[in-house]
Amino acid sequence: MKLKKSSLVAPSLHDEQGGDIAFMRVALDLARQGWEVGEVPVGAVVVRGDEIIGRGYNRPISAADPTAHAEVMAIRDAAQHIGNYRLTDCTLYVTLEPCTMCVGAIFHARITKLIYGAREPKTGACGSLINLPADTRINHHLRIAGGVLAEEAGELLKKFFAQRRKVIGMADQ
């Protein structure tokens, strides 16, 4: 996966949400990169301190890999970057609420905090459909905040699917 690399440190880390908006903007840029290659536009970054150590966008189609969600790609990138599969003291920023598979990957990586943008009513596993992180039987717990740049993230997805429906409709003619 070739990702466009900007600075490893996100700009403007002193916003009212302690950098959450700046890091989410990087994730949104990655989502747009995914759209450019025909993937559903979801982007993610893993941050340790003020440094982005992992980046990813959806790639299930181009990688022929059903597990190649943005979160998993960012987690893989971060683990390679630090040489460890445990990403303790890290925060994952993702433009869309994670699914059950991605929440499982987040648990296994021991990510400390999850920040997501738009809710996902069909597959969201952090409160929309189910709430895996709230299950006290699971041995890993993390802090979660949703809704960061949710409108922008949701609008990006709406535009993508509207364009896709238009193209499919034109192909049917």
Side-chain angles (χ1 to χ4, degrees):
M1 165 174 65
K2 185 168 172 98
L3 299 176
K4 295 177 188 170
K5 297 276 185 177
S6 56
S7 168
L8 282 180
V9 178
S12 181
L13 295 176
H14 303 292
D15 60 38
E16 65 277 3
Q17 294 185 15
D20 292 349
I21 289 173
F23 289 122
M24 189 62 76
R25 288 204 185 287
V26 176
L28 282 163
D29 287 343
L30 287 162
R32 289 181 191 96
Q33 286 183 46
W35 184 346
E36 289 173 11
V37 297
E39 299 282 357
V40 174
V42 178
V45 294
V46 176
V47 175
R48 185 170 59 183
D50 284 344
E51 179 186 7
I52 295 173
I53 62 168
R55 298 168 187 261
Y57 57 77
N58 267 3
R59 296 196 57 234
I61 298 166
S62 59
D65 178 356
T67 69
H69 289 197
E71 301 93 324
V72 171
M73 302 309 292
I75 289 169
R76 288 175 182 166
D77 190 38
Q80 289 295 308
H81 179 80
I82 67 169
N84 192 338
Y85 74 104
R86 296 285 194 203
L87 301 175
T88 56
D89 299 322
C90 290
T91 300
L92 174 67
Y93 292 84
V94 61
T95 59
L96 185 65
E97 179 182 359
C99 69
T100 55
M101 175 187 70
C102 292
V103 170
I106 291 164
F107 286 162
H108 286 290
R110 299 298 192 257
I111 288 173
T112 306
K113 188 175 179 184
L114 167 67
I115 308 292
Y116 68 86
R119 294 177 60 93
E120 172 46 281
K122 294 180 181 178
T123 63
C126 296
S128 290
L129 180 64
I130 59 173
N131 194 347
L132 284 177
D135 191 327
T136 58
R137 297 171 297 173
I138 297 172
N139 68 337
H140 178 68
H141 300 281
L142 67 155
R143 295 181 318 227
I144 300 173
V148 176
L149 298 180
E151 191 172 315
E152 192 173 336
E155 197 59 35
L156 184 65
L157 287 159
K158 285 178 191 172
K159 287 178 182 177
F160 172 82
F161 285 112
Q163 181 187 49
R164 181 171 270 183
R165 283 189 297 274
K166 185 177 177 182
V167 169
I168 290 169
M170 290 169 55
D172 291 339
Q173 295 177 4

